Amino acid sequence: MIHSLFLINYTGDIFLEKHWKSVINRSVCDYFFEAKEKALEPENVPPILQTPHHYLINIYRGKLFFLAVIQTEVPPLFVIEFLHKVADTLQDYFGDCSEGVIKDNLVTVYEILEEMLDNGFPLATESNVLQEMIRPPTILRSVVNTLTGGSNVGDTLPTGQLSNIPWRRAGVKYTNNEAYFDVIEEIDAILDKSGSTVFAEIQGVIEACVRLTGMPDLTLSFMNPRLLDDVSFHPCVRFKRWESERVLSFIPPDGNFTLMTYHVSSQNLVAIPVYVKQNISFMETGSCGRLDITIGPKQTMGKTVEGLLVTIHMPKAVLSANLTATQGNYTYDLATKVLVWDVGKLNPQKLPNLRGSLSVQSGAPKPEENPSLNIDMKIQQLAISGLKVNRLDMYGEKYKPFKGVKYLTRAGKFQCVLMFTKSVLGSLVPGGLTHPTEGEPCIRADLDGGRLSFPHRLLHGLH
Amino acid sequence: MTAMQKLLQLPVSAVNMVKTVQSQVQGHEEDKSPVLTPDGGQQTWYSALRPDELRHLRSGSSSAGGGGGGGCGGDGGRDQEERAPLEEGGGGNGSSQSQPLRHDDLKEMLDSNKDSLKLEAMKRIVAMIARGKNASDLFPAVVKNVACKNIEVKKLVYVYLVRYAEEQQDLALLSISTFQRGLKDPNQLIRASALRVLSSIRVTIIVPIMMLAIKEAASDMSPYVRKTAAHAIPKLYSLDPDQKDQLIEVIEKLLADKTTLVAGSVVMAFEEVCPERIDLIHKNYRKLCNLLIDVEEWGQVVIINMLTRYARTQFLNPNINESLLEEGGSGDKTFYGSDGNDDDDEDEEDKEKKAEAAALAKRKPYVMDPDHRLLLRNTKPLLQSRNAAVVMAVAQLYFHLAPKAEVGVIAKALVRLLRSHSEVQYVVLQNVATMTIKRRGMFEPYLKSFYIRSTDPTQIKILKLEVLTNLANETNISTILREFQTYIKSVDKDFVAATIQAIGRCATNIGEVRDTCLNGLVQLLSNRDELVVAESVVVIKKLLQMQPEKHSDIIKHMAKLTDNIQVPMARASILWLIGEYCEHVPKIAPDVLRKMAKSFTNEEDIVKLQILNLAAKLYLTNSKQTKLLTQYVLNLAKYDQNYDIRDRARFIRQLIVPTEKSGALSKYAKKLFLALKPAPVLESPFKDRDHFQLGSLSHLLNAKAGGYQELPDWPEAAPDPSVRNVEVPEWTKCSSREKRKEKKVEKPFYSDSEGESGPTESADSESYSSSGSDSASASAESGSGSQSEESEDASDSEEEEEEEDKKKVWKKEFKKLAQGSESEQSSESDERKRARKSKQQKSESESETDGDEESDSESSQSESDDSESEVDVKNKKAVQSKAPSKPVIKETKKEKKEMSLLDLDDFEPAPSPQVTPVNSFLSSSLVTDLEGLSLSDSVLSPAAISPSGTQKCYELLHRISGEGLSVEYCFSRQPFGPDANMVAVQMHFANSAATDAKNLHMEDVKLQSGMRVTDFPEIELLPAGETTTAVMGIDFCDSTQAANFQLCTHSRKFFVSIQPPVGELMKPVFMTENEFKKEQGQLMGMNEITEKLTLDVKCRNEHAIVQRVSAAANLSRVPCGSDKECRFAGRTVSGGSLVLVTVATEEDGSARLTLNCEKMVIGTMLVKDVLLALTQ
């Protein structure tokens, strides 16, 4: 199983090492540094590397590499999931998982790692249990600790491991009993040039913050649970009740946790809240191009779209942009060739528009790559899939808790494909079309039917 | 501590603070020199730390100056704690003089009797360890504190001990007694932690102590201590492998533990110490399955992986029947060459064996071991786990163990993981890529989830591309190519190159789009990016090799490119192409050589080699024009700097230019150079990776990692399942089950001789009674999950019924003991139906196998029919309806053309709708109604040609998985009324549960794009014990893709899928001989497939051939002048493409099968099916 762990920062310094079996020299990381050098981008470092005597499995989180060294066969996902669990735990403890924070709490981090694995096999990974053994630092406690010379190490022994409910610590007490649930949905979508949907799905997550005394047994039910296409649960959720009644029945962990994640995929269920009209072109000769982008609301269910942010990765040849935005402001980063347009709130009466000219490196040929346009946004108080929490019941305890549900929709990987040049592979698709024109989103469905003929009217659809 | 005490302690820490600050100031100055001297890897370490150090220094001094007041003190205190390690970090690697000094400081603190000072010192030491600094010289000072009362100090001392005990063995022994005391502590957590640390001290001397401690802890009252004991086992094993035997005893004991806390850890220990001792699992198997859902996530992963291996050794392959019977189903795969070789080899090697097995399979449907089912059922909910490793573990378990129809459930969960972190995506995609090669249909509905985003890392993009390519088939290829088209314009050039290769692979795999792909790639040749062009050239070269004669214009186009393209690999590829196919471009080739000769000296080596190649080939084919050029090139090459090129030139000259010296070889020069080169196979790099257990590290690396446990092959016969019974099994039980197993195997061989069947039956009936009671007792014993009991019971009782049924059938058919069997049979309607069904199957198989005896047995049967009672008449009906048909066929044969022509004319175009549904399925009352009709109506006679009687039934839902509801389907070969493009599928529902099934309907239909389904009308009520039928229509789009849907009752949903054999995708069409010839003439070349075969011994007459072909495919016979030839015609149901089959027989039993069809895929698969039907 997991032999050793190295934490490595962005520049390639090892700032923490922990060995669960015998010590492995940190020179083993040289193989990793080599791969990192080769990959250029940290995201492109292969997660699994083979060295003559070891296997290195790494993850990249918050500008840090977590590098696990293993020696024998082990499911790679097992290690990857564990490393993410470590990162999550640290985040849980210190509110952030960065180099500075870890260095500031080195001893606590080391103790946490010691508890999480025994001989390379996970021992206590539930944060409720860990927090009982090693208390997270708080301002108050650090004051007290200084005065008393105490530390964050718990002085009473944990009991959590021994209860039947490994994820909840015993003896929880609160004066204010409250349970909050955030239903957060992200829309992943790929839109084509005309704005019709190539692919769309909703990824939802229910984050819970439960501070309840004793051993409450909660039941959360939805108005429309059939919407959910695919779900995954925190281990506390009783799967059988979900199977038979479609309700979430669980004894919650104490504090913050992710109750469930779900997935809504049927295309017609996914409402796309905004549309993008864009036109970008470059002159065949000369060194300029034009850009014109308009964003408008589509299916917002009467709510306002906020925090609208458009990011465009321009072709390398684009030197600068001279644009005017009717709303918000834009920046163009010359080094990374990224155009960012911060729109803010979307006003349906006056649609925000960004237009102007682009100057292209003179003498450079007309760019051929597709710029991609990514959209970021937020809609408060709306779950775009229409999911609604019906009620929350508590059993097993006498008091009346305060309950709350919040909804939020935001863009996940929301991407528009921009096309400004004639298709290079025009005849690759039978019929010679590259993309359907506006207003005819059904073409894709036609194609799916496997019939290789095209409606004739589409043959004019080339741009 | 009270607040008062805390305040009292303040001065101490304040003093301490000042002290450390001072020392740090010194330390910092000292540190300066090592920072400046270059000191290997540590150099960067310092520089990275410097700013921090300074910051701490500043804040530290300010707090010291402030006098360490309340709030300020807090700040300073924390600083102090952080500062210490930094300072030590410096000291540990700094100048050697400063080191002892500062460690003295720490030692002093450790020796003090103040816990706070000790704690402070320990923290600084642990921080040193965390940074990888050496703190070993503090060992004596630290180890003294192991008995410290303060639990915080103790913990840190433990941390230190575990780290350094190995290096300081003698001193470490001093601490052992403390742990031994700890092992006896009343607090379970102290016991556990003592064991944990004791076992982590890697000192060989204490092995006996550890062994003792582990043994004791394994029988501790507290499950937490037992868990720690399980963790300690592999530690001890790695320290001293000689302890293995003793450790296995402990493992055995812990495996029997019933708490979820222990299960994961002990299985982990099992995997590390004795994975080969699979026998230890038997008794715990059911318990592990039932506990699984409550085990913590990490334990689940380990247990599932282990159980996968276990199941592979203990159960039978659930897909064994499908793979034998539905050869057509796997046919599409073989067409694409993904695993064609394997299949072919297998075919030849075990043909006989398979035939036997197939015969066996027909009679004896595979029944899943209830334990196997238990595992599948109990792991399924874990697909919903939040932990990707658990989901992957379940996915691989299903992939390796589940019946084909059920594997699909994992796809959705795996697709969900694609939303996770990119590392998770990376691993999941690798596994999906392997799965898509074997089970493409599984992921096809999720095609779009594999679309690539511009923000994906390159390695993810390339893996997704791989999956998309694997998923490509003729129905979705246009969508995929459209996607590829956008990818080609990506900025990421590695990705673009991979995309071009993917297009190439799609083109080789899917013949329909080869030309379009080729054209697209040719257009890419004018791309501005040279890398794109080069990659395209390489791919085009591979594609052209498949059918060069068609594409001389592309070769010409590429010849022109030599002027512009500079990438050596691309130039070399073009030259090779021109050389290889110089006959197709006779005018251009010499000209290219002329140009190349000019630039020869400036070319790269690989290009030069290809120029030589081109010259040699041209010299051989067109020596008149190119003789001088070739000489020139060879001369240039003779003086080249590269010896490889010089060698090649010398070799070629000797070979092609005949001189006196050149030996006999030059005669063969043409053969050597212009031999037909096989087209390269563009294969997925993930092919054959599935021999590694999916989800494993070895699979990912495609190489065996250390400690990898091979996934064993399925056993030929299942080992004794009773070993898993928890209580001591009585010997009778084992023996009865074994007996039954034997019987199952041998039964088919007995079926012909009645003499032998007698004794077996009697033996059977004995064993039934005992096994029946056994199974009841076994289920009572298991007692863990009520479901498992049920299933066990169900399967047992079902087996019994089947056996009984068969018994009866034999009696009736062979012994004609009408009276006796009657009395036995008057039990249940359900049983009767079964009897009828199995009997019919029997009679079918009989008629197929012993064609000569047919008439005899039939006549005797019809005689005996009279004597039989009414029930029997009903049961025999199906046989009878077929019986008269056969003599008629024989007549038609004797009377030759005229008669048969007439018959076929009347009958074939519109087969009478009443006849075909009369399968084994109709309820008995309906059968009696139809009886008179079928017996009297002579029009029915040609029914043998459209063989309603020989239709195969496929299982849609087994009784056990359907909880009493069983569903079978067959292709009724009738036009589906509402939609002519649909294939009619007749479903037969039987409810053998104790309760009524209500609202049977379909839901959640998952189809390949383009496919459509017309649901069967909802069945409101199916009372217990009743059966019913329904017809649904499916437009398969002329592919053998399965239609997946959920079959819903009022309470349950079942995932089911219908996959058509290719022969059912067509409808018969009538045509005359002339029409047939005309159509055949238009479907020549690529649309024609010819196979030579040797007919099966029993299949050498025309009648048998007709029967077998029409059993394999829904085609109608076309009249033919010669009796050596049988012709059949049909159209695909959905696309209406013509399918023409000709079987021409020779005297000696060999025959030639010709198939003409414009849909190549259909054609290839059908040829396979027909071949199989005729040769077996």
Side-chain angles (χ1 to χ4, degrees), chain A residues 8-136:
Chain A
I8 299 167
N9 68 10
Y10 190 77
T11 50
D13 299 321
I14 305 167
F15 63 92
L16 189 148
E17 61 180 73
K18 169 85 186 102
H19 307 277
W20 284 278
K21 299 186 180 183
S22 47
V23 179
I24 290 175
N25 197 296
R26 55 167 67 186
S27 63
V28 76
C29 298
D30 292 348
Y31 294 99
F32 167 76
F33 293 134
E34 206 175 290
K36 182 169 166 271
E37 205 83 334
K38 220 187 283 173
L40 303 172
E41 295 286 315
E43 288 85 5
N44 280 336
V45 181
I48 291 137
L49 296 166
Q50 192 174 6
T51 77
H53 301 290
H54 303 94
Y55 305 98
L56 308 179
I57 299 186
N58 72 80
I59 64 160
Y60 183 68
R61 276 273 294 260
K63 300 211 166 173
L64 295 180
F65 289 99
F66 291 69
L67 180 80
V69 184
I70 54 173
Q71 268 185 322
T72 52
E73 169 67 44
V74 57
L77 273 182
F78 185 98
V79 182
I80 289 171
E81 276 286 304
F82 176 78
L83 294 178
H84 279 294
K85 188 87 202 175
V86 170
D88 289 341
T89 309
L90 296 184
Q91 187 135 20
D92 221 33
Y93 260 81
F94 311 116
D96 187 19
C97 180
S98 66
E99 188 184 357
V101 166
I102 293 174
K103 278 184 172 170
D104 287 351
N105 298 285
L106 203 63
V107 177
T108 316
V109 171
Y110 198 80
E111 281 178 310
I112 292 171
L113 291 175
E114 178 78 33
E115 287 299 330
M116 285 182 87
L117 282 188
D118 180 19
N119 194 36
F121 190 73
L123 186 66
T125 51
E126 282 298 332
S127 89
N128 262 236
V129 177
L130 277 173
Q131 294 198 356
E132 221 168 303
M133 288 196 268
I134 303 149
R135 291 199 212 121

Side-chain angles (χ1 to χ4, degrees), chain B residues 185-198:
Chain B
D185 199 280
N187 186 330
Q188 49 179 350
L189 286 160
I190 294 183
R191 290 201 301 277
S193 119
L195 178 63
R196 214 181 129 192
V197 182
L198 180 68

Side-chain angles (χ1 to χ4, degrees), chain B residues 919-963:
Chain B
N919 298 316
S920 47
F921 295 134
L922 287 197
S923 64
S924 48
S925 61
L926 186 56
V927 175
T928 17
D929 290 344
L930 289 169
E931 190 178 27
L933 217 157
S934 62
L935 280 173
S936 60
D937 197 350
S938 62
V939 179
L940 270 177
S941 52
I945 293 172
S946 75
S948 61
T950 54
Q951 273 170 25
K952 271 188 213 155
C953 299
Y954 304 89
E955 184 171 85
L956 191 61
L957 185 63
H958 191 264
R959 231 176 95 162
I960 295 177
S961 44
E963 291 171 8

Side-chain angles (χ1 to χ4, degrees), chain B residues 12-126:
Chain B
V12 180
S13 56
V15 166
N16 187 21
M17 222 181 286
V18 175
K19 213 199 257 173
T20 42
V21 167
Q22 280 168 350
S23 71
Q24 198 179 15
V25 174
Q26 289 165 6
H28 183 63
E29 280 162 2
E30 278 163 357
D31 278 350
K32 268 184 186 162
S33 55
V35 168
L36 290 174
T37 51
D39 190 24
Q42 302 301 347
Q43 178 65 42
T44 43
W45 176 236
Y46 284 122
S47 51
L49 274 185
R50 283 290 301 285
D52 281 54
E53 248 174 312
L54 288 171
R55 180 169 60 81
H56 287 304
L57 189 66
R58 254 179 258 124
S59 62
S61 58
S62 73
S63 74
C72 228
D75 199 347
R78 202 175 46 201
D79 263 335
Q80 182 187 10
E81 179 185 307
E82 291 146 4
R83 183 173 353 103
L86 289 169
E87 172 199 349
E88 285 309 326
N93 291 275
S95 57
S96 54
Q97 297 103 333
S98 67
Q99 200 175 354
L101 178 79
R102 218 160 301 138
H103 283 178
D104 281 344
D105 175 39
L106 282 171
K107 277 176 193 158
E108 205 175 287
M109 286 164 80
L110 286 169
D111 286 341
S112 87
N113 48 10
K114 287 256 175 6
D115 278 354
S116 56
L117 276 181
K118 285 183 180 177
L119 186 64
E120 182 56 40
M122 279 319 295
K123 279 187 169 178
R124 284 162 62 178
I125 295 168
V126 168

Side-chain angles (χ1 to χ4, degrees), chain A residues 1 13-17 21-23 26 43-48 55 58-61 70 72-78 80-82 84-85 103-104 106-107 110-111 114-115 117-119 121-123 125-126 133 144 146-149 151 153 155 157-158 161-162 186 188-190 198-199 203 229-235 239 267 316 365-366 368-370 372 413 415 419 423-429 434-435 444 447-450 454, chain B residues 6 9 44-45 48-49 55 73-74 77-78 82 119 123 126-127 129-132 151-152 155-156 159 163 166 187-190 196 202 224 227 231 234-235 261 268 272 297-298 301-302 305 381 384-389 392 412 416 419 421 423-428 448-449 451 453-455 457-459 475 478-479 481-482 485-486 488-489 491 503 516 519-521 523-524 527-528 695-698 700-701 705-708 1009-1010:
Chain A
M1 284 282 156
D13 299 321
I14 305 167
F15 63 92
L16 189 148
E17 61 180 73
K21 299 186 180 183
S22 47
V23 179
R26 55 167 67 186
E43 288 85 5
N44 280 336
V45 181
I48 291 137
Y55 305 98
N58 72 80
I59 64 160
Y60 183 68
R61 276 273 294 260
I70 54 173
T72 52
E73 169 67 44
V74 57
L77 273 182
F78 185 98
I80 289 171
E81 276 286 304
F82 176 78
H84 279 294
K85 188 87 202 175
K103 278 184 172 170
D104 287 351
L106 203 63
V107 177
Y110 198 80
E111 281 178 310
E114 178 78 33
E115 287 299 330
L117 282 188
D118 180 19
N119 194 36
F121 190 73
L123 186 66
T125 51
E126 282 298 332
M133 288 196 268
V144 173
T146 326
L147 294 177
T148 60
S151 77
V153 181
D155 45 5
L157 290 163
Q161 277 282 20
L162 311 178
E186 292 192 353
D188 286 2
I190 302 177
V198 175
F199 169 78
Q203 299 288 345
D229 182 40
D230 184 32
V231 285
S232 73
F233 299 119
H234 189 276
F239 187 71
Q267 291 256 347
K316 287 208 178 65
K366 193 175 144 188
E368 269 183 357
E369 318 95 71
N370 280 330
S372 67
K413 296 171 181 167
Q415 187 183 339
M419 295 269 259
S423 163
V424 184
L425 258 179
S427 62
L428 218 160
V429 173
T434 57
H435 262 261
R444 214 162 252 277
L447 275 174
D448 290 349
F454 262 75
Chain B
K6 284 174 197 165
Q9 287 214 328
T44 43
W45 176 236
L49 274 185
R55 180 169 60 81
R78 202 175 46 201
E82 291 146 4
L119 186 64
K123 279 187 169 178
V126 168
I129 298 172
R131 309 216 124 138
I151 198 149
E152 296 175 37
K155 265 190 160 176
L156 293 173
V159 168
R163 170 70 179 76
E166 207 172 3
N187 186 330
Q188 49 179 350
L189 286 160
I190 294 183
R196 214 181 129 192
R202 288 170 290 274
Y224 184 58
K227 184 188 174 76
H231 276 274
K235 295 186 208 171
L261 205 56
M268 184 64 228
E272 287 207 3
E297 303 160 312
W298 313 105
V301 178
V302 178
N305 278 324
Q384 252 63 51
S385 172
R386 62 169 174 176
N387 188 316
M392 189 65 230
K412 196 187 259 182
R416 181 181 71 230
R419 260 290 287 198
H421 304 285
E423 298 88 8
V424 175
Q425 285 184 41
Y426 177 80
V427 177
V428 171
K448 286 186 175 175
S449 305
Y451 280 7
R453 294 164 195 284
S454 56
T455 44
T458 310
Q459 48 189 351
T475 43
S478 52
T479 335
L481 283 182
R482 173 189 305 281
Q485 203 171 305
T486 47
I488 278 177
K489 276 173 276 172
V491 193
I503 294 174
T516 25
N519 288 338
L521 289 169
Q523 292 202 15
L524 274 182
N527 194 293
R528 203 182 316 126
S696 67
L697 184 65
S698 306
L700 197 106
L701 299 168
Y708 171 73
S1009 48

Side-chain angles (χ1 to χ4, degrees), chain B residues 153-208:
Chain B
V153 176
K154 204 171 187 165
K155 265 190 160 176
L156 293 173
V157 172
Y158 283 2
V159 168
Y160 182 89
L161 262 179
V162 170
R163 170 70 179 76
Y164 283 112
E166 207 172 3
E167 294 174 22
Q168 312 254 343
Q169 304 210 353
D170 295 343
L171 285 168
L173 294 178
L174 294 175
S175 61
I176 302 297
S177 61
T178 322
F179 299 121
Q180 280 177 306
R181 229 177 301 135
L183 288 168
K184 302 264 187 305
D185 199 280
N187 186 330
Q188 49 179 350
L189 286 160
I190 294 183
R191 290 201 301 277
S193 119
L195 178 63
R196 214 181 129 192
V197 182
L198 180 68
S199 57
S200 299
I201 296 176
R202 288 170 290 274
V203 179
T204 356
I205 278 184
I206 62 164
V207 164

Side-chain angles (χ1 to χ4, degrees), chain A residues 289-317:
Chain A
R290 290 198 54 75
L291 175 91
D292 188 345
I293 300 176
T294 310
I295 297 186
K298 208 171 170 187
Q299 293 160 291
T300 57
M301 322 272 176
K303 307 276 195 225
T304 330
V305 178
E306 296 168 20
L308 196 61
L309 191 76
V310 180
T311 315
I312 307 173
H313 292 265
M314 285 292 178
K316 287 208 178 65

